[in-house]
Amino acid sequence: MPRKRRPRREVARVPRSDALLPEYDRGAVPAGLVTRRALRAMGLSPGRNTGPIAILRCKLCATRPNWSCRHPTRGYLLRIDLAVPKRVPTLAQELALDRAIAARSTCPKCARRYFYCLPVRTVGCCDPCARGYEPSPDTYMAPTTPVRHQLAA
């Protein structure tokens, strides 16, 4: 039996001249405009950019020069000169992140710290403790004493 075809979605077409922001095809973007992902690759954050300056059209819309791009795959272009360097976390922030990750990857029963997050909410412990087998040594770090006990001693 043949499959049923899905009905086509109605696409809201807007003439390119009525678009609110200028649009550029890939490879035709003027210097000084990049996407948010490209800013991150350069070590910058959007900073003083209040919003997108232009739209980077998707590959499909590059074949339709008269219509504005309305697809979710379009990209928004930001100015490089308004971008600022990414913030560097403080030592206290890095310590807090390390403690949070350690709490998510340490088994409450056997105190082994794994290289991945454990399903503590659903299972309650690591898989070896739940199923009763010995884990391979390459999946976890050796158990250590908590930082609180080291500071108190």
Side-chain angles (χ1 to χ4, degrees):
M1 185 166 156
R3 291 186 293 176
K4 289 184 180 179
R5 288 189 175 193
R6 278 191 274 163
R8 287 188 168 200
R9 284 188 297 163
E10 279 298 317
V11 179
R13 291 192 167 187
V14 176
R16 195 166 180 185
S17 60
D18 294 342
L20 299 177
L21 295 173
E23 296 182 0
Y24 299 101
D25 292 327
R26 296 176 189 271
V29 178
L33 296 180
V34 293
T35 60
R36 182 182 295 261
R37 186 173 286 184
L39 277 179
R40 286 287 171 194
M42 291 184 233
L44 301 171
S45 66
R48 296 185 303 266
N49 280 299
T50 56
I53 303 299
I55 295 175
L56 178 65
R57 299 179 64 174
C58 64
K59 291 179 184 177
L60 180 66
C61 290
T63 61
R64 297 174 175 91
N66 297 331
W67 296 106
S68 176
C69 181
R70 294 285 179 209
H71 295 100
T73 55
R74 68 184 180 267
Y76 294 105
L77 298 171
L78 303 170
R79 290 175 47 184
I80 295 176
D81 58 344
L82 295 179
V84 295
K86 283 199 275 186
R87 292 186 312 173
V88 178
T90 63
L91 290 176
Q93 289 172 332
E94 286 184 4
L95 181 65
L97 283 173
D98 186 48
R99 285 182 179 168
I101 291 171
R104 292 181 66 189
S105 60
T106 303
C107 177
K109 288 187 178 178
C110 64
R112 290 186 183 109
R113 183 173 175 182
Y114 289 84
F115 294 111
Y116 53 88
C117 292
L118 298 175
V120 177
R121 279 191 182 164
T122 56
V123 180
C125 58
C126 63
D127 196 44
C129 289
R131 295 189 182 186
Y133 66 88
E134 190 63 30
S136 61
D138 61 337
T139 59
Y140 67 92
M141 293 177 248
T144 60
T145 57
V147 176
R148 283 180 265 155
H149 297 299
Q150 290 176 352
L151 293 176

Coordinates of all heavy atoms in Angstrom, one line a residue, residues 47-85:
G47 N 28.4 41.4 22.7 CA 28.7 42.7 23.3 C 27.7 43.7 23.1 O 26.5 43.6 23.5
R48 N 28.0 44.8 22.4 CA 27.1 46.0 22.2 C 26.2 45.8 21.0 O 25.5 46.8 20.6 CB 27.9 47.2 22.1 CG 28.7 47.5 23.4 CD 29.4 48.9 23.3 NE 30.3 49.0 22.2 CZ 31.6 48.7 22.3 NH1 32.2 48.3 23.4 NH2 32.4 48.8 21.2
N49 N 26.2 44.7 20.3 CA 25.2 44.4 19.3 C 23.8 44.3 19.9 O 23.6 43.5 20.7 CB 25.5 43.1 18.5 CG 26.6 43.3 17.5 OD1 26.5 44.1 16.6 ND2 27.7 42.6 17.7
T50 N 22.9 45.2 19.4 CA 21.6 45.2 20.0 C 20.7 44.2 19.3 O 19.6 43.8 19.8 CB 20.9 46.6 19.9 OG1 21.0 47.0 18.5 CG2 21.7 47.6 20.8
G51 N 21.1 43.8 18.1 CA 20.3 42.8 17.4 C 20.9 42.5 16.0 O 22.0 43.1 15.7
P52 N 20.3 41.7 15.2 CA 21.0 41.4 14.0 C 20.9 42.6 13.0 O 20.0 43.4 13.0 CB 20.1 40.2 13.4 CG 18.8 40.3 14.1 CD 19.1 40.9 15.5
I53 N 22.0 42.7 12.2 CA 22.1 43.8 11.2 C 21.6 43.3 9.9 O 21.0 44.1 9.1 CB 23.6 44.2 11.1 CG1 24.1 44.7 12.5 CG2 23.7 45.3 10.1 CD1 23.4 45.8 13.1
A54 N 21.8 42.0 9.6 CA 21.3 41.5 8.3 C 21.0 40.0 8.5 O 21.3 39.4 9.6 CB 22.4 41.7 7.3
I55 N 20.5 39.4 7.4 CA 20.2 38.0 7.5 C 21.1 37.2 6.5 O 21.3 37.7 5.3 CB 18.7 37.8 7.1 CG1 17.8 38.4 8.2 CG2 18.4 36.3 6.9 CD1 16.4 38.4 7.9
L56 N 21.6 36.1 6.9 CA 22.3 35.2 6.0 C 21.3 34.2 5.5 O 20.8 33.4 6.3 CB 23.5 34.5 6.8 CG 24.3 33.5 6.0 CD1 25.1 34.2 4.9 CD2 25.3 32.8 6.9
R57 N 21.1 34.2 4.2 CA 20.1 33.3 3.6 C 20.5 31.9 3.6 O 21.7 31.6 3.5 CB 19.8 33.8 2.2 CG 19.2 35.2 2.2 CD 19.0 35.7 0.8 NE 17.9 34.8 0.3 CZ 17.3 35.0 -0.9 NH1 17.7 36.0 -1.6 NH2 16.4 34.2 -1.3
C58 N 19.5 31.0 3.7 CA 19.8 29.6 3.6 C 20.2 29.2 2.2 O 19.9 29.9 1.2 CB 18.7 28.8 4.2 SG 17.2 28.9 3.2
K59 N 20.7 27.9 2.0 CA 21.0 27.5 0.7 C 19.8 27.4 -0.3 O 20.0 27.7 -1.4 CB 21.7 26.1 0.8 CG 23.0 26.1 1.4 CD 23.6 24.7 1.5 CE 24.9 24.7 2.3 NZ 25.4 23.3 2.4
L60 N 18.7 27.0 0.3 CA 17.5 26.9 -0.6 C 17.1 28.2 -1.1 O 16.7 28.3 -2.3 CB 16.4 26.2 0.2 CG 15.1 26.0 -0.5 CD1 15.2 25.0 -1.6 CD2 14.0 25.6 0.5
C61 N 17.1 29.2 -0.3 CA 16.7 30.6 -0.7 C 17.7 31.2 -1.7 O 17.3 32.2 -2.3 CB 16.4 31.5 0.5 SG 15.0 30.9 1.4
A62 N 18.9 30.7 -1.8 CA 19.8 31.3 -2.7 C 19.4 31.1 -4.1 O 19.8 31.8 -5.0 CB 21.2 30.7 -2.5
T63 N 18.6 30.1 -4.4 CA 18.1 29.8 -5.7 C 16.8 30.7 -6.0 O 16.3 30.6 -7.2 CB 17.7 28.4 -5.9 OG1 16.7 28.0 -5.0 CG2 19.0 27.5 -5.7
R64 N 16.3 31.4 -5.1 CA 15.1 32.2 -5.2 C 15.4 33.7 -4.9 O 15.2 34.1 -3.8 CB 14.0 31.7 -4.4 CG 13.5 30.3 -4.7 CD 12.5 29.8 -3.7 NE 12.0 28.5 -4.0 CZ 12.5 27.4 -3.6 NH1 13.6 27.4 -2.9 NH2 12.0 26.2 -4.0
P65 N 16.0 34.4 -5.8 CA 16.5 35.7 -5.5 C 15.5 36.8 -5.2 O 15.7 37.8 -4.6 CB 17.4 36.1 -6.7 CG 16.8 35.3 -7.8 CD 16.3 34.0 -7.2
N66 N 14.2 36.5 -5.6 CA 13.2 37.6 -5.5 C 12.4 37.5 -4.2 O 11.7 38.4 -3.8 CB 12.2 37.5 -6.6 CG 12.8 37.7 -8.0 OD1 13.8 38.5 -8.0 ND2 12.3 37.1 -9.0
W67 N 12.6 36.4 -3.4 CA 11.9 36.2 -2.2 C 12.8 36.3 -1.0 O 13.9 35.9 -1.0 CB 11.2 34.8 -2.2 CG 10.2 34.7 -3.3 CD1 10.3 34.0 -4.4 CD2 8.9 35.3 -3.4 NE1 9.2 34.1 -5.2 CE2 8.3 34.9 -4.6 CE3 8.2 36.1 -2.5 CZ2 7.1 35.3 -5.0 CZ3 7.0 36.5 -2.9 CH2 6.4 36.1 -4.1
S68 N 12.2 36.8 0.1 CA 12.9 36.9 1.4 C 13.0 35.5 2.1 O 12.1 34.7 1.9 CB 12.1 37.8 2.3 OG 12.7 37.9 3.5
C69 N 14.1 35.2 2.8 CA 14.3 34.0 3.4 C 13.5 33.9 4.7 O 13.6 34.7 5.6 CB 15.8 33.8 3.7 SG 16.1 32.2 4.5
R70 N 12.6 32.9 4.8 CA 11.8 32.7 6.0 C 12.0 31.4 6.7 O 11.2 30.9 7.5 CB 10.3 32.9 5.7 CG 9.9 34.2 5.2 CD 9.8 35.1 6.4 NE 9.5 36.5 6.0 CZ 9.8 37.6 6.6 NH1 10.6 37.5 7.6 NH2 9.5 38.7 6.2
H71 N 13.1 30.7 6.3 CA 13.3 29.4 6.8 C 14.0 29.4 8.2 O 14.8 30.4 8.5 CB 14.2 28.6 5.8 CG 13.5 28.3 4.6 ND1 13.7 29.1 3.4 CD2 12.5 27.4 4.2 CE1 12.9 28.6 2.5 NE2 12.2 27.6 2.9
P72 N 13.9 28.4 9.0 CA 14.6 28.4 10.3 C 16.1 28.2 10.2 O 16.8 28.4 11.2 CB 13.9 27.2 11.1 CG 13.4 26.4 10.0 CD 13.0 27.3 8.9
T73 N 16.6 27.9 9.0 CA 18.0 27.7 8.9 C 18.8 28.9 8.5 O 20.0 28.9 8.3 CB 18.3 26.6 7.8 OG1 17.6 27.0 6.6 CG2 17.8 25.3 8.2
R74 N 18.1 30.1 8.4 CA 18.8 31.3 8.1 C 19.6 31.7 9.3 O 19.3 31.3 10.4 CB 17.8 32.4 7.7 CG 16.9 32.8 8.9 CD 15.9 33.9 8.4 NE 15.1 34.3 9.5 CZ 13.9 33.8 9.8 NH1 13.4 32.8 9.1 NH2 13.2 34.2 10.8
G75 N 20.6 32.5 9.1 CA 21.5 33.0 10.1 C 21.4 34.5 10.3 O 21.1 35.2 9.3
Y76 N 21.6 35.0 11.4 CA 21.6 36.4 11.7 C 23.0 37.0 11.8 O 23.8 36.4 12.4 CB 20.8 36.8 12.9 CG 19.3 36.4 12.8 CD1 18.8 35.3 13.5 CD2 18.5 37.2 12.0 CE1 17.5 35.0 13.4 CE2 17.2 36.9 11.9 CZ 16.7 35.8 12.6 OH 15.3 35.4 12.4
L77 N 23.3 38.0 11.1 CA 24.6 38.6 11.0 C 24.8 39.7 12.0 O 23.9 40.6 12.1 CB 24.9 39.1 9.6 CG 24.9 38.0 8.5 CD1 24.9 38.6 7.1 CD2 26.0 37.0 8.7
L78 N 25.9 39.7 12.7 CA 26.2 40.8 13.7 C 27.5 41.5 13.3 O 28.3 41.0 12.5 CB 26.4 40.1 15.0 CG 25.2 39.3 15.6 CD1 25.7 38.5 16.8 CD2 24.1 40.2 15.9
R79 N 27.7 42.7 13.8 CA 28.9 43.5 13.5 C 30.1 43.1 14.3 O 29.9 42.9 15.6 CB 28.6 44.9 13.6 CG 27.7 45.5 12.6 CD 27.3 46.9 12.8 NE 28.4 47.8 13.1 CZ 28.2 49.1 13.4 NH1 27.1 49.6 13.5 NH2 29.3 49.8 13.7
I80 N 31.2 42.9 13.7 CA 32.4 42.5 14.5 C 32.9 43.7 15.3 O 33.4 43.5 16.4 CB 33.5 42.0 13.5 CG1 33.1 40.8 12.9 CG2 34.8 41.8 14.3 CD1 34.1 40.2 11.8
D81 N 32.8 44.9 14.8 CA 33.4 46.1 15.6 C 32.7 46.4 16.9 O 33.2 47.0 17.8 CB 33.4 47.3 14.7 CG 32.0 47.7 14.2 OD1 31.1 46.8 14.2 OD2 31.9 48.8 13.7
L82 N 31.4 45.9 17.0 CA 30.7 46.1 18.3 C 30.9 44.9 19.2 O 30.4 45.0 20.4 CB 29.2 46.3 18.0 CG 28.8 47.5 17.2 CD1 27.3 47.6 17.0 CD2 29.3 48.8 18.0
A83 N 31.5 43.8 18.8 CA 31.7 42.7 19.6 C 32.8 42.9 20.7 O 33.7 43.8 20.4 CB 32.1 41.5 18.8
V84 N 32.8 42.2 21.8 CA 33.7 42.4 22.9 C 34.3 41.0 23.2 O 33.7 40.0 22.9 CB 33.1 43.0 24.1 CG1 32.7 44.4 23.9 CG2 32.0 42.2 24.6
P85 N 35.5 40.9 23.8 CA 36.1 39.6 24.1 C 35.2 38.9 25.1 O 34.5 39.5 25.9 CB 37.4 40.0 24.7 CG 37.8 41.4 24.3 CD 36.4 42.0 24.1

